[in-house]
Amino acid sequence: MKIFKPHTLLDIDADAVLREARTRLAKQLEQPARRIFLQRTLTLGGLSLLTGCSISDDTHVEAALSKISRFNDKIQGLIFSPSQLAPTYTEAEITRPFPFNAYYGEDEIREVDEASYRLEVTGMVADKHAWSLAELRAMSQQEQITRHICVEGWSAIGRWGGVRFSDFLRHIGADTSAKYVGFKCVDDYYTSIDMPTALHPQTLLALSYDGQPLPPKYGFPMKLRMPTKLGYKNPKYIQAMFVTNTYSGGYWEDQGYNWFGGS
Ligand SMILES: Nc1nc2c(c(=O)[nH]1)N[C@H]1C(S)=C(S)[C@@H](COP(=O)(O)O)O[C@H]1N2
Ligand SMILES: [Mo]
């Protein structure tokens, strides 16, 4: 069983966002008096002004915090650099065995039939045909040894191979001016990411782990591997993906985890 603490996470986000907001606002203000006023008033009370949510009861606190989290998404989106690479590591640094994690235990790992599997692609793309694994393996393959960071308090270095996601998006004629790419998984997991991260050079439609076809526990037939994002943003067992301008959240994101989830 997993212990999930959405409030702890939101509190961390709220703190970080407050600090960012204070700095940003302070920079915009020339007059020292106004600056001090804002720094002193952007407290919990100030938050209700900032978010337009009263903080008189739990539901409203919840609403205020979720607004802050969406504000935090915007800031993270603004400071995200499409060309800045996450650190890479050597073979010797790979964590063995690499940990398994899901919202269920290892005894419930999903087994996907390779022969009948097709990746469904919908939304703002020119080519909506469903992809077999063989077709994806025929595309140019990349490898990376990067660190996966899980908010539950562990991180591990692994080696993934597959199709650079930006290559795939361009190949299917995706509208890369769209805001989001969403994913639905074979289990009940789902998530969505911002387009700049989808196009990041280290974002990989991973088909292999450590030189072997992705094992079931790591998300066979494929996962989206993003070393610039936290573990929960990396969907395993991808069944369908869609390009959209409509926000669609995610399994943990809808329960309070920050949506941008940069690492
Ligand atoms: N389909 C699916 N993808 C998922 C999850 C899940 O439960 N289902 N859990 C996420 C979380 S929280 C983590 S930390 C990583 C774990 O990936 P791993 O088993 O390869 O370590 O998968 C992510 N992607
Ligand atoms: Mo995670």
Side-chain angles (χ1 to χ4, degrees):
M1 274 300 286
K2 274 217 255 212
I3 301 161
F4 175 56
K5 303 182 196 128
H7 292 94
T8 316
L9 264 170
L10 280 171
D11 288 345
I12 291 163
D13 285 347
D15 275 357
V17 93
L18 264 180
R19 253 183 279 118
E20 274 163 5
R22 280 199 192 103
T23 320
R24 264 164 48 114
L25 286 167
K27 277 187 189 145
Q28 283 166 18
L29 293 165
E30 287 113 346
Q31 291 163 287
R34 287 190 67 194
R35 193 180 309 147
I36 287 157
F37 172 76
L38 256 163
Q39 280 173 340
R40 295 224 175 113
T41 50
L42 202 54
T43 54
L44 208 53
L47 280 186
S48 62
L49 287 172
L50 192 69
T51 60
C53 304
S54 86
I55 46 165
S56 51
D57 63 44
D58 276 3
T59 340
H60 290 123
V61 170
E62 212 48 70
L65 288 175
S66 108
K67 277 205 175 175
I68 292 159
S69 198
R70 293 297 288 142
F71 176 62
N72 188 351
D73 289 335
K74 287 209 181 88
I75 307 267
Q76 288 185 70
L78 284 172
I79 62 180
F80 178 77
S81 161
S83 57
Q84 194 180 327
L85 299 181
T88 56
Y89 300 85
T90 64
E91 294 259 342
E93 291 172 292
I94 294 173
T95 309
R96 299 180 194 280
F98 192 87
F100 160 84
N101 196 25
Y103 64 89
Y104 42 83
E106 277 197 61
D107 52 329
E108 284 178 62
I109 289 173
R110 309 304 198 256
E111 299 271 348
V112 175
D113 173 52
E114 170 161 356
S116 58
Y117 175 83
R118 296 289 181 277
L119 169 68
E120 296 150 37
V121 182
T122 58
M124 300 160 71
V125 298
D127 176 3
K128 292 195 173 98
H129 99 269
W131 288 66
S132 70
L133 267 189
E135 286 176 289
L136 287 166
R137 288 186 186 133
M139 284 186 74
S140 160
Q141 308 285 302
Q142 317 285 328
E143 274 226 336
Q144 62 172 258
I145 302 178
T146 51
R147 185 186 294 276
H148 171 116
I149 302 164
C150 174
V151 289
E152 287 176 74
W154 57 271
S155 85
I157 294 168
R159 175 177 167 221
W160 292 271
V163 179
R164 186 173 280 156
F165 198 48
S166 64
D167 289 351
F168 182 72
L169 288 173
R170 292 200 174 96
H171 189 91
I172 61 174
D175 181 345
T176 54
S177 71
K179 284 190 190 161
Y180 312 107
V181 183
F183 300 89
K184 284 185 189 148
C185 305
V186 170
D187 49 11
D188 286 331
Y189 208 75
Y190 60 100
T191 189
S192 55
I193 60 165
D194 53 296
M195 185 60 79
T197 300
L199 297 173
H200 186 277
Q202 286 173 309
T203 296
L204 207 63
L205 195 54
L207 307 172
S208 76
Y209 183 76
D210 205 11
Q212 304 296 320
L214 205 64
K217 61 175 174 175
Y218 302 143
F220 182 86
M222 78 189 62
K223 71 175 276 177
L224 195 74
R225 175 63 197 138
M226 293 171 285
T228 58
K229 282 209 192 293
L230 294 166
Y232 63 86
K233 296 299 299 180
N234 292 235
K236 307 194 285 185
Y237 318 101
I238 300 172
Q239 176 67 67
M241 55 161 274
F242 51 98
V243 176
T244 180
N245 276 322
T246 309
Y247 177 80
S248 61
Y251 183 92
W252 288 120
E253 295 89 327
D254 293 350
Q255 298 175 63
Y257 279 21
N258 172 250
W259 177 78
F260 194 89
S263 70

